Amino acid sequence: MFSSCVVLMCGIIGYIGSRKASEVITDGLKRLEYRGYDSVGIAVVGEKGLALLKEKGMVSDVSLALDFTRLEGNIGIGHTRWATHGAVCKENAHPHTDCRKDIVLVHNGVIENYMKLKSALVAKGHKFSSETDSEVLAHLIEEKTKTLPLLQAFRMAMNELEGSYAVAMISATDPEKRIFIARRNSPLIIGLGKGEMLCASDIPAMLKYTKTFVPLEDGDIAVLVRNGYKAYTLSGHETVRKQITVDWDADMAQKGGFLHFMLKEIMDQKHFIVQTLASDITEARSQIDRYKRIDIVACGTSYHTGMLFSILLQSMGKCAQAFIASDYQFVAKPDKDTLVFAISQSGETADVLSALRHAKDSRKIAITNTMGSSITSLVDSTIFLNCGPEIGVAATKTFTSQLAILSKIVYGMERLNPVSNVIGSMLEKENEIKAIAAKLVSKEHAFFIARGRSVPIAYEGSLKFKEITYIHSEAYPGGELKHGTLSLICEGTPVIALAPADESLPKLIGNIKEAKARGAFVISLTDSEDVSKESDLTIPLPKNLDPALHPFAMIVPLQLLAYHVSVLRGINPDRPRNLAKSVTVE
Ligand code: AGP
């Protein structure tokens, strides 16, 4: 019985050079673990041939227990896996091999036609040891090497795959000692070192060795040797891909003394926001002036940015709408008169990429944090967040940076000059927020309410809260409570009210009173005495704040609240269950 292994995302790393490959790969896997943490494996080719170790569990535990770094050799590949279907077990962990234990590979993505390929290979006598789609590829390449040299066999096998893949493969008997890689709809980047080459799903895994990278494009394959690489199209033509240099350093992808990446990334916002605000938005601004209809496509946290962006664009008289990217193809008909903004920190979210393909006739602009990501090749221009790598699964600094970009587009730079200080002043409230978090630890539900421009921030506060605390939470425009949700409010139910003193405040105070009358435990983010009087607890917002800065002042305490409740509940906020950092299947 075959069972499907749908992989949302995994981490791949490969190394060839003069260092001990197992050390480079183990270190890289630790940096990639946010991409998957169900199981982990490594394969190295040394003088004694192929050595392979894999097991279910986290990188740090498995690499220590199996002693990955005892493997000798200068060429190898590694993988950290995150699966939603199919057993998490040693057999399904990568790397996978062919029948002869010669071809060994790691794969990220979903080979949609693997059942058909597998049946044909079984009929030819191939023996399988896992349930995964990925193992099929090793046997397919093995089959092709019966008549073709290794590179052609690899390329021809890629031509037969349907679905998505990022693949790194080595062969125990390859006299030329090469790493073969390929990608389609799943990221894979080459790292150019001096006398050494790397490949990985993400740049942070390679930052210790190089800052120069070549992101592969969809349909590319490439062959890495110690001193260089060659890239080819699927039809076998040699091709050249753009080289990029990043100014990130390896420390940015470390915790830097913080208990979790998430806390570091929340605290870093004060500094990174300045870098983000240096991004050039002139082209986007002039395109907005040219188009009447503006669609925004995004998912999750990035969708909340899109919601606020659409509200602000509407206030400029634009016909703007934010769409959940996964539904865009079913509900929207973008044309040549539509300007489409795609917001995605990773630049790899499959739903967003597919929404962009749906908008094939439109002008498209991406807002992303990831140079060389897939999104950049599907749009006419890109605005980069420049806020450094975000490792925690929960988006924090990338959300704030997205807010900064859209605010700069809408309000201009001047009104945003105080933003770093505003974020800093909210970060200083961490101890107060921690005390509030202690009161929420054993709650089962939480409701976030707001009005007008604050509603997208309430949605984001609620998403952050539920994804890392596992407490059920919902966000509503305050006016909606009485249309149904009020029935869920009872004695002690937390209601978190985002209540900056703007034109919507009088109405929101009415909603707070409605909740209070049913016994809600109200926590307000506010600069209004009237709201404080109605609340059980208040997180004060700075007085007389420019409304352009309200989103920044409100999201920081909500991130800290979610973080501290998560930690108090004994959860690792960097790796919430069932979630992964970027979702590369639809
Ligand atoms: C939020 O904390 C999550 N990480 C998730 O909602 C995320 O924002 C969503 O998957 C979209 O990711 P993207 O920005 O990389 O496209």
Side-chain angles (χ1 to χ4, degrees), residues 299-302 343-347 349 352 393-395 463-464 467 583:
C299 304
T301 290
S302 298
I343 309 176
S344 170
Q345 72 78 23
S346 64
T349 301
V352 177
V393 164
L463 175 65
K464 214 84 311 171
E467 75 173 320
V583 184

Side-chain angles (χ1 to χ4, degrees), residues 4-71:
S4 165
C5 163
V6 178
V7 181
L8 276 185
M9 63 184 288
C10 301
I12 286 178
I13 178 150
Y15 175 81
I16 179 164
S18 51
R19 298 177 207 256
K20 200 173 173 187
S22 57
E23 285 177 359
V24 177
I25 291 167
T26 306
D27 177 67
L29 287 172
K30 286 180 183 158
R31 294 168 197 271
L32 284 169
E33 197 170 20
Y34 69 97
R35 297 183 66 90
Y37 29 90
D38 287 342
S39 44
V40 59
I42 181 172
V44 171
V45 175
E47 281 176 10
K48 294 182 190 151
L50 173 71
L52 189 155
L53 297 169
K54 62 182 184 177
E55 190 49 272
K56 68 176 178 180
M58 314 245 288
V59 176
S60 44
D61 298 340
V62 175
S63 61
L64 202 66
L66 301 183
D67 193 7
F68 278 5
T69 54
R70 76 187 140 98
L71 302 186

Side-chain angles (χ1 to χ4, degrees), residues 15 19 31 50 59 106 249 279 281 300 302 408 413 418 481 486 497 531 533 586:
Y15 175 81
R19 298 177 207 256
R31 294 168 197 271
L50 173 71
V59 176
V106 290
D249 63 48
S279 296
I281 49 86
S302 298
K408 189 175 171 185
M413 188 56 215
L481 271 190
L486 208 51
V531 175
K533 274 189 231 143
E586 286 175 58

